[in-house]
Amino acid sequence: MDPHPSVVATKLLARKKFIDTGEQFNMIATSWIQFMIHDWIDHLEDTQQVELRAPHEIASACPLKSFKFFKTKRISTGEPDMNFGFLNTRTPWWDGSVIYGNNEEGMRRVRAFKEGKLRIGGDGLLEHDEKWIPVSGDVRNCWAGFSLLQALFVREHNAVCDLLKKLYRYARLVTSAVIAKIHTIDWTVELLKTDTLLAGMRVNWYGLLGKRFKDLFGHICGPVLSGLVGLRKPNDHGVPY
Ligand code: HEM
């Protein structure tokens, strides 16, 4: 403690006048790095408080005369050459816990349990609980810049859910078409095995001009002749897939 850390901070490190960093750094950058810290680390606190007092040689320069905080909790590891360590209360892996939560209870709190989505307010910002604490993965020491980033990534998550839902409908369209095709030109013609039925079913599927024509020329005819080769634009009758 000699020299005292606050003497070093005040005499050596303190910025005496404002230095503009130009366009390199802004408030979004500080919001971002706090957002990341809240994904990675927070130490476990002990119940014992410690107090740092500014030594009198810098007392006039330091606005904070006394600073109280809880000690970092030591955890016994049981290993002979390293018998104590410290615990991280956040999941240290880069797992998005800042929006998803650090444990089962935290993860349940943020989920909407609908279409895989996360909870978000109608105004596009985080929801609050009855004490006006924002509902998100990790809300310790939060402020507007930080909460906005959480809301942004909750909305990103929900947008991914919407995209996957569209993908689900597209996959459904393709798969149900394959089923319909198998039933029309494989199953039915095998069951009612006549040349007339084979021709009829293939017209049903490929149009009057047949598969070869359709493969070569596609949907060249307008809606009037659609029975010849099928429709240029599919008519899905308003079903969502
Ligand atoms: C308005 C903005 C912020 C507020 C109110 C805030 C507040 C706090 C508080 C109260 C603590 C806990 C101190 C303790 O445990 O005794 C803390 C821890 C911490 N903050 Fe911030 N902070 C802010 C922004 C930032 C930024 C921008 C950074 C990164 C450059 C940051 C990095 C950290 C780190 C590394 C810790 C220690 C985590 C640990 O305990 O392991 N904070 N912050």
Side-chain angles (χ1 to χ4, degrees):
M1 294 301 269
D2 188 24
H4 193 279
S6 47
V7 174
V8 176
T10 313
K11 297 211 166 171
L12 202 62
L13 304 176
R15 189 169 58 181
K16 303 284 184 320
K17 65 177 194 331
F18 178 72
I19 305 164
D20 193 347
T21 59
E23 289 181 359
Q24 194 217 337
F25 224 60
N26 60 19
M27 290 301 283
I28 301 172
T30 57
S31 312
W32 178 265
I33 193 62
Q34 191 189 12
F35 182 66
M36 287 293 89
I37 298 285
H38 283 225
D39 197 314
W40 301 332
I41 41 163
D42 198 0
H43 67 279
L44 189 65
E45 284 172 352
D46 215 330
T47 44
Q48 193 193 341
Q49 256 197 345
V50 280
E51 183 182 12
L52 286 182
R53 297 190 72 85
H56 41 240
E57 50 185 307
I58 53 138
S60 58
C62 181
L64 210 61
K65 304 296 169 242
S66 154
F67 181 64
K68 281 190 185 153
F69 56 95
F70 291 102
K71 270 186 105 159
T72 306
K73 195 175 175 70
R74 285 185 173 202
I75 302 292
S76 144
T77 62
E79 286 175 35
D81 48 349
M82 199 182 70
N83 48 21
F84 72 87
F86 304 100
L87 273 187
N88 188 356
T89 59
R90 292 180 175 135
T91 51
W93 180 242
W94 221 338
D95 59 354
S97 55
V98 61
I99 61 164
Y100 294 104
N102 290 297
N103 51 39
E104 182 75 28
E105 191 198 341
M107 289 192 292
R108 291 196 156 270
R109 193 178 50 220
V110 299
R111 288 188 62 174
F113 290 103
K114 196 175 160 240
E115 299 173 339
K117 290 189 174 169
L118 297 175
R119 287 169 62 183
I120 188 86
D123 54 4
L125 299 174
L126 296 179
E127 284 184 359
H128 294 86
D129 67 12
E130 61 287 351
K131 291 186 197 145
W132 273 84
I133 296 172
V135 176
S136 196
D138 197 309
V139 295
R140 203 173 176 217
N141 321 320
C142 60
W143 66 290
F146 172 74
S147 300
L148 279 174
L149 282 177
Q150 286 179 313
L152 178 69
F153 284 93
V154 166
R155 292 169 68 177
E156 176 69 13
H157 173 99
N158 290 350
V160 171
C161 291
D162 284 338
L163 268 176
L164 289 176
K165 201 168 72 182
K166 273 195 195 144
L167 211 59
Y168 159 82
R169 288 174 173 166
Y170 198 73
R172 180 173 175 176
L173 176 65
V174 172
T175 306
S176 51
V178 166
I179 293 170
K181 187 179 179 191
I182 290 170
H183 189 90
T184 310
I185 62 171
D186 293 321
W187 194 87
T188 311
V189 298
E190 204 52 37
L191 182 76
L192 308 167
K193 225 172 163 67
T194 66
D195 291 344
T196 316
L197 201 103
L198 174 65
M201 286 294 114
R202 292 183 74 88
V203 165
N204 187 351
W205 195 260
Y206 295 112
L208 260 179
L209 298 176
K211 179 174 177 356
R212 248 176 77 78
F213 185 91
K214 190 176 179 176
D215 287 348
L216 275 175
F217 303 109
H219 306 282
I220 52 160
C221 304
V224 183
L225 297 175
S226 68
L228 296 179
V229 283
L231 288 169
R232 188 191 301 269
K233 257 188 158 186
N235 185 354
D236 57 19
H237 301 280
V239 291
Y241 60 90

